[in-house]
């Protein structure tokens, strides 16, 4: 039996959150990276979802190892040079965005706890499976490459690489994990249904 839990006082750095509702889990998420991995150790303490931050935008900067929160309604970088704004969905599967891969829209769930990017190979357009094996036996391209992907409005997002797997009956087409967060600053704005991303070297206030 999994017990429900209400944490009445939750403070992250200097940000005090509203009471957080959750569940008590044992060995949540398993240990696919090994028992001594930092991610495994972090899972032992549990996980907190974006909904716990309420109306506050939340920014992940993996390169600097920072998690920043902003006041409700604050608009840190929308419209700034180098930043792109995507439509952010949120459902039972978690926060998600739609990327167009070789002309086909695919739903990707953003998951900071996943060590790789994943895509359902069965949902890819035939044109995206284009690696050939010459006589040397080595592919003439990176089989993880999905090419130059675009957002739902047609704006280029650059190359995306993901491991091709079978996700069965999952209600999404892929996962964006640690590699995506390492390559971008990522700001979640749940109330505004927006995901802001930029390369890690773009200045925060650049206009």
């Amino acid at each position: 039996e999994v017990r429900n839990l209400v944490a009445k006082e939750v403070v992250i750095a200097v940000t005090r959150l509203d009471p957080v509702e959750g569940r008590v889990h044992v060995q949540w998420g398993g240990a696919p990276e090994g028992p001594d991995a930092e991610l495994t150790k972090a899972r032992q303490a549990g996980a907190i979802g974006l909904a716990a931050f309420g109306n506050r935008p939340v920014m992940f900067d993996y390169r600097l190892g920072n998690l920043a929160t902003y006041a409700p309604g604050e608009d840190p970088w929308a419209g700034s040079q180098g930043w792109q704004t995507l439509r952010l969905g949120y459902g039972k599967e978690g926060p998600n965005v739609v990327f167009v891969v070789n002309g086909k829209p695919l739903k990707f769930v953003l998951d900071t706890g996943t060590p790789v990017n994943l895509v359902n190979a069965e949902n890819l357009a035939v044109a995206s499976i284009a690696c050939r094996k010459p006589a040397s036996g080595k592919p003439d391209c990176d089989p993880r490459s999905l090419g130059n992907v675009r957002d739902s409005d047609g704006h280029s997002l650059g190359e995306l690489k993901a491991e091709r797997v079978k996700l069965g009956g999952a209600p999404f087409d892929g996962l964006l994990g640690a590699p995506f967060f390492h390559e971008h600053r990522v700001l979640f704005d749940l109330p505004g249904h927006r995901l802001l991303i930029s390369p890690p070297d773009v200045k925060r206030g650049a206009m």
Side-chain angles (χ1 to χ4, degrees), residues 83-88 96-108 147-160 176 180 184 194-197:
W83 287 84
Q84 292 178 273
T85 302
L86 312 179
R87 298 175 185 175
L88 179 66
N96 58 82
V97 292
V98 173
F99 287 170
V100 179
V101 181
N102 284 315
K104 185 174 183 179
L106 301 177
K107 180 194 287 187
F108 286 84
N148 190 342
V149 304
R150 298 182 178 274
D151 65 16
S152 56
D153 292 322
H155 302 122
S156 175
L157 299 171
E159 184 185 25
L160 177 67
L176 298 176
F180 180 80
H184 303 87
R194 303 179 310 158
L195 184 79
L196 278 68
I197 63 173

